[in-house]
Amino acid sequence: MNVEEAKRIVADQKDLIQEKMSSNYVERDIPSDLSIYLSVPNVLAILGVRRSGKSTLSLLLMKRMRVNFAYLNFDDESLYGITAKDLRNLEQGVYEVYGGNVNYLVLDEVHNVKGWELFTSRLRETKRVIVTGSNSKMLSGELATTLTGRHSDVVLFPFSFREYLRFKGESEEVPISTKRTAEVKTELEKYLEDGGFPEALIIGKDQVDIIYNDVLFKDIIFRYKVREMGKFKDFTKSLVSYYSTEVSLSKLAKTISVDKKTVDQWAYGLENAYLTYFLPRYGERPRERLTFSKKVYVIDPGIISRVAIKAKDKGRVMENTVFLKLARENQLKGMYYIKGGDFEVDFYDELNSRLIQVTYASDKVEEREIKGILKADEVVKAKERIIVTYDIDGIEKIKGKEIKMVPLYKFLLLHW
């Protein structure tokens, strides 16, 4: 790639970005003010599944800060196959198109280029750099070594229920009146079916299928050089269908006649691409946490609706949605499920010392759910015990322990 070709690509992308900057976008709920991470030589990394809004969030941040920035999208087909040597010409193209005084750089999906780490490391010495990526391990290689901790990362998810309401122009406040509560619950039913991918909400449900296939082919099949594509797709479909349950990769490997090592690599790739998450079982010893079985969760309710083999289980969809809320708020840290001989609790939020049980109950919470959370509390001594229900609201005090019953719609809207 010569400099003139690089200039043309940069200029074309600049035109597209200027159009996007003039549009109105939904403000995202993120853990903190991202601008504080933009200081030389720190790199801000915005990570997450494809089409979750990473580049849009980057542009919103630049727009809010009112700074002179340049944008490069490495997911552009014009940049397919470029090498580290081409990055110098792209850099020169940026300075010629945007001007030499550009101080901020947004490098969108830059991990598509081999050797991007050294390029980014050099730029961050004088520029404030944002990188986005759909691979959770992109910061665990040479860049992490080069930066020696000088990077901050945030994981962005598809719309939460609160953001979904914001997108639709609806109030995201916890409803008080009977009428508004009914309206919010109707919207929740739609959200549990359609999910929160922005493109799918704008264009239509079929867009979820496109996003799903893009993740499979671009982030896993291509990246990990998957040969048995048919079996890989069967495996992924089966894994998605196990949402909110314990999963045995060994059994899945036997079912599709693939060796365990291959299945482990596929599962690793799916989690790196943010399509699925494997929640560990809580163990008091670190070794226990590594050897126990894990539960699988899926990035968005829309994927479950479009991909899962079996008919949807309302309670499991609720549980998956609660997981996603916790994962957003905790940035995937300090989360477990607890299981004993005769009980199980869906989530132990270790960061906030909370036990959370999820049940599709609208009249009465079953005794086993209450016993389970009390037994788990004997193990971890949590500060808060919550049972997320479909429609039950209130507080019960049992054996001196307070248990909050919270309807799903309220749990998703509250700032805990």
Side-chain angles (χ1 to χ4, degrees):
M1 176 190 293
N2 57 43
V3 174
E4 288 304 313
E5 186 179 2
K7 277 174 59 179
R8 178 187 58 78
I9 293 170
V10 172
D12 287 346
Q13 290 191 1
K14 183 181 180 182
D15 289 342
L16 289 172
I17 286 307
Q18 286 178 337
E19 289 181 23
K20 289 188 74 173
M21 292 282 282
S22 63
S23 302
N24 293 319
Y25 291 102
V26 173
E27 289 291 331
R28 303 302 302 269
D29 293 329
I30 49 178
S32 59
D33 179 6
L34 298 184
S35 63
I36 64 176
Y37 303 123
L38 284 171
S39 61
V40 174
N42 197 60
V43 171
L44 170 61
I46 301 176
L47 309 175
V49 70
R50 283 181 178 271
R51 304 293 187 269
S52 57
K54 300 183 296 292
S55 60
T56 300
L57 178 60
S58 303
L59 296 175
L60 281 172
L61 180 58
M62 295 292 94
K63 186 176 181 179
R64 193 179 301 118
M65 294 177 67
R66 298 181 179 180
V67 294
N68 183 22
F69 76 98
Y71 172 88
L72 281 175
N73 176 16
F74 291 90
D75 223 14
D76 187 330
E77 69 275 4
S78 301
L79 297 179
Y80 178 77
I82 69 168
T83 65
K85 292 180 181 178
D86 297 315
L87 293 174
R88 282 280 185 177
N89 286 341
L90 266 179
E91 183 184 359
Q92 185 174 335
V94 164
Y95 295 139
E96 292 194 29
V97 171
Y98 285 92
N101 64 339
V102 65
N103 293 317
Y104 290 79
L105 292 170
V106 177
L107 307 179
D108 205 355
E109 301 288 348
V110 66
H111 61 92
N112 287 335
V113 183
K114 191 173 182 180
W116 69 275
E117 300 95 338
L118 292 175
F119 174 68
T120 303
S121 182
R122 177 174 58 79
L123 289 175
R124 56 104 188 185
E125 293 294 340
T126 56
K127 310 292 181 187
R128 290 164 174 79
V129 180
I130 299 176
V131 298
T132 78
S134 50
N135 185 331
S136 66
K137 300 302 178 187
M138 66 181 284
L139 296 178
S140 62
E142 189 174 345
L143 181 64
T145 304
T146 306
L147 294 183
T148 58
R150 295 310 302 268
H151 65 82
S152 305
D153 53 280
V154 60
V155 180
L156 188 68
F157 292 73
F159 286 161
S160 65
F161 182 52
R162 205 162 43 224
E163 292 167 334
Y164 171 88
L165 291 176
R166 198 176 301 157
F167 166 81
K168 299 194 77 172
E170 299 274 354
S171 169
E172 60 204 75
E173 297 299 317
V174 176
I176 298 175
S177 71
T178 303
K179 179 176 180 291
R180 182 56 191 156
T181 299
E183 291 171 347
V184 168
K185 287 169 68 176
T186 297
E187 291 296 341
L188 177 58
E189 290 298 318
K190 293 177 184 175
Y191 174 74
L192 294 178
E193 177 69 27
D194 299 341
F197 280 107
E199 283 186 12
L201 296 175
I202 295 169
I203 301 172
K205 295 179 184 179
D206 289 349
Q207 199 67 18
V208 174
D209 301 333
I210 295 171
I211 295 168
Y212 174 75
N213 285 312
D214 276 353
V215 172
L216 296 194
F217 283 95
K218 294 182 180 179
D219 293 327
I220 304 162
I221 291 174
F222 176 75
R223 190 176 301 279
Y224 295 93
K225 297 179 174 58
V226 175
R227 294 178 181 177
E228 298 180 275
M229 286 190 285
K231 289 187 176 182
F232 168 69
K233 292 175 78 174
D234 289 342
F235 165 76
T236 305
K237 197 178 187 72
S238 297
L239 193 62
V240 169
S241 301
Y242 276 104
Y243 67 95
S244 302
T245 57
E246 279 186 339
V247 63
S248 169
L249 294 181
S250 298
K251 289 181 180 178
L252 275 177
K254 290 179 182 178
T255 300
I256 59 174
S257 302
V258 175
D259 65 273
K260 175 66 162 47
K261 185 178 178 181
T262 299
V263 161
D264 283 342
Q265 185 186 46
W266 290 351
Y268 176 83
L270 289 167
E271 189 165 34
N272 284 351
Y274 295 99
L275 188 70
T276 58
Y277 297 90
F278 293 95
L279 185 71
R281 178 175 160 185
Y282 179 78
E284 294 180 325
R285 301 185 188 92
R287 187 176 179 181
E288 289 178 333
R289 300 185 185 191
L290 292 173
T291 56
F292 285 148
S293 296
K294 296 181 179 180
K295 292 176 75 173
V296 65
Y297 294 92
V298 179
I299 185 62
D300 186 72
I303 295 285
I304 294 172
S305 297
R306 304 289 294 189
V307 177
I309 298 169
K310 299 176 183 177
K312 283 206 310 179
D313 181 303
K314 193 64 171 288
R316 287 168 57 202
V317 173
M318 286 175 59
E319 182 182 331
N320 197 97
T321 307
V322 168
F323 168 82
L324 292 174
K325 176 180 170 62
L326 298 175
R328 283 186 188 93
E329 294 175 352
N330 288 12
Q331 290 288 285
L332 296 167
K333 297 179 180 73
M335 295 168 57
Y336 306 91
Y337 74 100
I338 296 182
K339 189 172 184 178
D342 60 348
F343 73 94
E344 181 175 333
V345 172
D346 297 319
F347 304 109
Y348 172 44
D349 175 3
E350 190 174 41
L351 293 184
N352 298 294
S353 189
R354 296 186 295 177
L355 285 167
I356 300 171
Q357 190 78 292
V358 185
T359 176
Y360 183 39
S362 56
D363 296 320
K364 183 182 178 182
V365 174
E366 292 185 22
E367 192 69 23
R368 64 182 176 85
E369 308 285 8
I370 295 172
K371 285 183 177 178
I373 208 166
L374 290 175
K375 286 187 176 182
D377 193 54
E378 292 174 5
V379 177
V380 298
K381 304 294 190 293
K383 292 181 180 177
E384 196 171 21
R385 292 152 296 279
I386 300 169
I387 297 181
V388 179
T389 69
Y390 186 74
D391 215 22
I392 301 172
D393 198 348
I395 296 176
E396 287 195 26
K397 202 160 188 177
I398 303 171
K399 296 180 180 179
K401 300 285 186 179
E402 187 177 275
I403 302 175
K404 296 178 181 177
M405 310 289 180
V406 185
L408 179 63
Y409 72 86
K410 183 181 286 189
F411 184 83
L412 296 178
L413 294 179
L414 282 171
H415 297 273
W416 292 89

